[in-house]
Amino acid sequence: MRNAIVAEGLTKRFGEIVALDGLDLAVGEGTVMGLLGPNGSGKTTAVRLLSTLLRPDSGRATVEGLDVVKDAVAIRRKIGLSGQYAAVDEDLTARENLRMVGKLYHLGTAAAGKRADELLERFDLTADADRQTKGYSGGMRRRVDLACAVVAKPKVLFLDEPTTGLDPRSRLAMWQVISELVEGGSTLLLTTQYLEEADKLADRITVLDRGRVVAEGTPDELKARTGGERLELTVGEAAEVPTAREALRELASGDITVDLDDRLLIVPVSIGSEALVRSVRLLDGAGVRLTGMSLRRPSLDEVFLSLTDKSRDSHEARGSAADDAKAPLR
């Protein structure tokens, strides 16, 4: 697969703050890359570098084969961008904003007007299309901004937390628009605070923390790194929990957790749905009455917390070691 976006060793400092510390990234053409990380992890800086709004201090990056420094003007003709805050002209109506963007992309007056009408309907803005956007709610201005980002049906689209502030209906509509663009061949780099959004849309996810990549893979691959699947079983009596735990030991891929009050056993497993069948047989053989069971995978929220917590522990350990090395000998 050809890569539409490539970054190699990108770094960016703002004074003493290291915003990006050697970012390596590859986004396949026609795919969605989700960029996750806590606040201050470097997500927005990465988007600004790749969309030519900032110049890297070192490293290199290309978008559609064009260098983000040498070919910045050419890249801007090929991409769409929506930042964290709605960037619309509040003295213009939504229709005027969209037509203006269309003309800036050289669509022509008629084509720009037609595309504006399409997007006004798509983003549920038709009823307010001819009202100045200064009177819009924050969520409505956000929808206009997102519509402006896709006016030219860009080959590469950068969306920095695109659905923040949107109501559930508008968020679902935006997800549909994104899916349609990708199906049409567009490539998307998406940063988001909604992990459900990344799980829903992203083909691959890169997790950043303190300007560094701490993990990369498909949503399923990242979930598997956090411990795989867990079998949750409820037995009839608290007195049966020890017997159940012993019976299930051969099935477990790690330590079994028990909750006597809820008569619950949590068993890490690595054999998928087969674990359901085998657990029933094992407990039946041990004479344990089973009242409930489910097979659960880690959520992306759990993956995110696990990966970033490990990253911070590692960072603190490196800092402590560095401080020790600098300490005077006594």
Side-chain angles (χ1 to χ4, degrees), residues 121-137:
E121 183 175 354
R122 192 72 190 83
F123 284 87
D124 195 22
L125 291 164
T126 303
D128 298 284
D130 298 307
R131 188 159 59 88
Q132 282 184 312
T133 55
K134 67 173 62 175
Y136 280 17
S137 67

Side-chain angles (χ1 to χ4, degrees), residues 32-285:
V32 179
M33 172 66 79
L35 207 56
L36 301 184
N39 291 334
S41 62
K43 303 187 301 296
T44 295
T45 300
V47 168
R48 289 177 177 172
L49 288 172
L50 294 168
S51 61
T52 77
L53 296 181
L54 288 174
R55 293 171 65 98
D57 295 331
S58 62
R60 66 182 298 272
T62 60
V63 176
E64 286 288 301
L66 300 170
D67 187 274
V68 296
V69 175
K70 298 176 183 177
D71 306 309
V73 174
I75 286 175
R76 289 170 196 159
R77 296 192 184 106
K78 291 178 173 285
I79 66 173
L81 170 67
S82 177
Q84 287 188 18
Y85 305 101
V88 299
D89 188 328
E90 295 192 343
D91 290 325
L92 300 180
T93 67
R95 192 186 307 278
E96 289 168 341
N97 268 283
L98 290 166
R99 285 178 173 174
M100 177 184 69
V101 172
K103 290 177 182 179
L104 290 172
Y105 275 104
H106 307 291
L107 295 186
T109 301
K114 181 179 179 181
R115 182 63 173 155
D117 291 343
E118 291 173 358
L119 291 170
L120 288 167
E121 183 175 354
R122 192 72 190 83
F123 284 87
D124 195 22
L125 291 164
T126 303
D128 298 284
D130 298 307
R131 188 159 59 88
Q132 282 184 312
T133 55
K134 67 173 62 175
Y136 280 17
S137 67
M140 291 174 67
R141 283 196 297 271
R142 188 65 171 150
R143 278 184 275 156
V144 175
D145 182 58
L146 292 167
C148 287
V150 299
V151 163
K153 300 180 181 178
K155 290 290 293 178
V156 178
L157 183 60
F158 296 95
L159 300 181
D160 194 6
E161 300 187 14
T163 59
T164 298
L166 297 185
D167 58 61
R169 183 185 298 275
S170 297
R171 185 174 296 128
L172 288 173
M174 186 59 198
W175 289 1
Q176 183 62 37
V177 170
I178 290 171
S179 297
E180 290 170 0
L181 284 166
V182 176
E183 288 172 6
S186 292
T187 303
L188 172 63
L189 182 66
L190 166 78
T191 79
T192 180
Q193 294 288 352
Y194 299 106
L195 299 185
E196 177 194 6
E197 187 164 84
D199 210 357
K200 170 80 173 177
L201 297 175
D203 298 294
R204 299 188 70 81
I205 292 172
T206 294
V207 183
L208 291 181
D209 199 14
R210 298 179 182 270
R212 296 182 176 183
V213 175
V214 297
E216 195 271 337
T218 66
D220 283 346
E221 287 170 349
L222 293 181
K223 289 172 185 177
R225 287 182 55 173
T226 311
E229 295 169 316
R230 285 172 284 187
L231 190 60
E232 298 185 355
L233 303 142
T234 305
V235 298
E237 302 290 340
E240 296 178 300
V241 168
T243 304
R245 183 176 186 176
E246 187 61 34
L248 295 167
R249 195 179 299 280
E250 68 178 71
L251 191 63
S253 60
D255 293 334
I256 298 175
T257 303
V258 301
D259 183 334
L260 286 173
D261 291 336
D262 291 331
R263 312 180 313 284
L264 175 68
L265 298 96
I266 301 174
V267 186
V269 295
S270 58
I271 56 174
S273 57
E274 184 184 341
L276 294 168
V277 176
R278 288 185 57 185
S279 65
V280 170
R281 290 173 179 166
L282 290 168
L283 292 177
D284 185 56

